[in-house]
């Protein structure tokens, strides 16, 4: 049985640095200085570095068991991409901390929690969680790449470019952890029930930390500011029923990440960001192939 779902899929590691583009980042960097979107973006970024490290550990644990050469190569690319994501979000988190966001605190909490899980949970359970979280990131990534309105919510060029690059690579490797999970004999029961617990849990966890971050922000105490921001956020693609249903699709017994064919979308953004006239070529530290 073929262990990779797509033997022709390339998962390139791009050595890139967004540090120059984050200079002058304003306190409220979302469109129109929106409070909730700014704090949500900051809290998601705070969770990414140690989340990415957890993904790498979970997949790497089974690396020696992978015999299919194509999947082995995709795992190598997955590890390279996720390691780079973690590094770039750490850079962003340092800048956000300077602006008053509690990113350092949430990074510590995330590092401790996922470290304890790595230490005590069965490796297959950690791989199941990785595959489920990869569906979260792939779902958000597809929405960002496909939706002009959602991209417009990232008003600062540096933030938008970082998240577009991250979204492209999440789409490129969206099936890798899932394929490894299946290749090493992960059960459907663990896979599905992991997501059933993750969906409400992750959303609640994120909401709590966004609320705690907002409590530290004097701008959130201005009369009517949060109410206006909440009304606006409810119209966002991130808060849509469509996104919730796409997350629930993971529960199907015959689900696979490649059921949603995003190859054309990836090709469009790969060319736009890293093609001959790619918008982000100037940030590449090497001439890694796109």
């Amino acid at each position: 049985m073929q262990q990779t779902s797509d033997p022709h899929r390339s998962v390139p590691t791009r050595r890139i640095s967004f540090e120059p583009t984050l200079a002058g980042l304003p306190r409220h960097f979302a469109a129109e200085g929106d409070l909730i979107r700014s704090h949500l973006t900051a809290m998601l970024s705070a969770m990414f570095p140690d989340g990415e490290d957890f993904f790498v550990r979970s997949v790497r644990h089974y690396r020696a068991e992978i015999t299919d050469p194509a999947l082995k190569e995709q795992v190598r690319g997955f590890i390279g991409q996720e390691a780079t994501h973690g590094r770039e979000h750490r850079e962003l988190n340092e800048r956000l901390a300077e602006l008053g966001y509690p990113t350092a605190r949430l990074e510590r909490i995330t590092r401790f929690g996922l470290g304890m899980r790595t230490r005590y949970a069965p490796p297959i359970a950690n791989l199941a969680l990785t595959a489920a979280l990869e569906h979260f990131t792939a779902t958000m990534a597809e929405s960002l790449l496909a939706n002009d309105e959602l991209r417009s919510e990232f008003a600062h060029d540096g933030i938008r470019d970082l998240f577009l690059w991250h979204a492209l690579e999440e789409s490129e490797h969206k099936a890798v952890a899932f394929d490894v999970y299946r290749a090493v004999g992960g059960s459907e029961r663990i896979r599905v029930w992991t997501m059933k617990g993750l969906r409400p849990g992750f959303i609640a966890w994120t909401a709590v930390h966004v609320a705690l971050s907002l409590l530290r922000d004097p701008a959130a105490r201005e009369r009517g500011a949060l109410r206006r921001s909440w009304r606006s956020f409810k119209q966002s693609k991130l808060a849509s029923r469509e996104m919730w249903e796409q997350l629930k699709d993971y529960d199907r017994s015959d689900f696979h990440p490649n059921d949603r064919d995003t190859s054309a979308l990836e090709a469009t953004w790969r060319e736009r960001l890293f093609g001959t006239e790619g918008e982000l070529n100037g940030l590449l530290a090497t001439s890694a192939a796109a």
Side-chain angles (χ1 to χ4, degrees):
M1 178 179 176
Q2 185 72 22
Q3 291 186 6
T4 178
S5 56
D6 184 356
H8 304 294
R9 177 170 286 271
S10 175
V11 184
T13 300
R14 302 175 179 91
R15 304 303 180 187
I16 193 167
S17 174
F18 288 89
E19 185 177 4
T21 71
L22 298 175
L25 183 68
R27 168 76 158 131
H28 302 115
F29 48 81
E32 301 179 355
D34 186 78
L35 287 170
I36 292 177
R37 287 179 175 87
S38 294
H39 283 266
L40 174 60
T41 301
M43 293 302 96
L44 287 173
S45 183
M47 289 185 278
F48 280 139
D50 291 284
E52 309 284 18
D53 288 350
F54 173 78
F55 297 167
V56 169
R57 291 195 302 271
S58 300
V59 170
R60 184 181 279 148
H61 180 87
Y62 289 99
R63 194 175 190 175
E65 297 183 29
I66 302 300
T67 59
D68 176 45
L71 185 54
K72 269 184 174 290
E73 182 63 18
Q74 290 166 8
V75 166
R76 187 192 66 80
F78 173 89
I79 291 172
Q81 286 189 345
E82 296 291 46
T84 309
H85 297 172
R87 186 194 68 215
E88 291 307 302
H89 277 281
R90 282 192 174 90
E91 292 282 350
L92 172 58
N93 293 343
E94 289 178 8
R95 179 65 186 128
L96 293 171
E98 292 170 0
L99 294 172
Y101 290 94
T103 49
R105 182 197 65 192
L106 186 49
E107 277 197 56
R108 288 193 300 270
I109 294 171
T110 305
R111 185 179 309 121
F112 175 79
L114 292 177
M116 293 294 287
R117 182 174 175 111
T118 298
R119 183 173 180 180
Y120 294 111
I124 197 65
N126 291 332
L127 185 57
L129 180 61
T130 295
L133 283 166
E134 283 289 296
H135 182 58
F136 257 88
T137 55
T139 298
M140 291 188 289
E142 181 184 344
S143 294
L144 181 62
L145 296 177
N147 191 278
D148 291 337
E149 186 176 345
L150 183 55
R151 290 194 299 276
S152 73
E153 295 180 15
F154 293 81
H156 188 273
D157 290 344
I159 294 283
R160 183 174 57 252
D161 288 345
L162 189 155
F163 274 84
L164 282 170
W165 157 76
H166 193 161
L168 171 62
E169 295 197 347
E170 289 297 330
S171 297
E172 287 175 335
H173 71 231
K174 67 181 180 179
V176 174
F178 191 97
D179 285 348
V180 171
Y181 181 79
R182 282 197 168 170
V184 299
S187 76
E188 281 292 285
R189 181 176 180 276
I190 292 175
R191 181 186 72 78
V192 171
W193 281 99
T194 297
M195 177 58 93
K196 285 183 179 293
L198 175 65
R199 262 195 312 271
F202 181 80
I203 291 170
W205 170 265
T206 304
V208 165
H209 285 283
V210 169
L212 291 173
S213 183
L214 284 164
L215 284 173
R216 297 163 52 103
D217 190 340
R221 295 191 285 275
E222 295 177 7
R223 185 180 180 87
L226 273 179
R227 184 170 61 252
R228 289 192 299 273
S229 183
W230 176 245
R231 282 202 301 265
S232 176
F233 179 71
K234 287 193 295 184
Q235 306 305 311
S236 172
K237 180 77 171 177
L238 291 175
S240 68
R241 182 71 181 179
E242 179 184 350
M243 179 163 286
W244 179 255
E245 291 300 324
Q246 191 170 335
L247 290 172
K248 286 179 66 177
D249 195 43
Y250 192 89
D251 297 353
R252 285 191 293 108
S253 60
D254 60 345
F255 170 83
H256 191 278
N258 289 340
D259 291 343
R260 292 184 69 89
D261 184 2
T262 56
S263 56
L265 190 63
E266 293 165 37
T268 295
W269 282 99
R270 195 178 297 115
E271 177 63 26
R272 179 168 170 178
L273 299 180
F274 300 108
T276 305
E277 302 294 330
E279 297 171 7
L280 302 186
N281 283 346
L283 301 178
L284 289 170
T286 72
S287 58

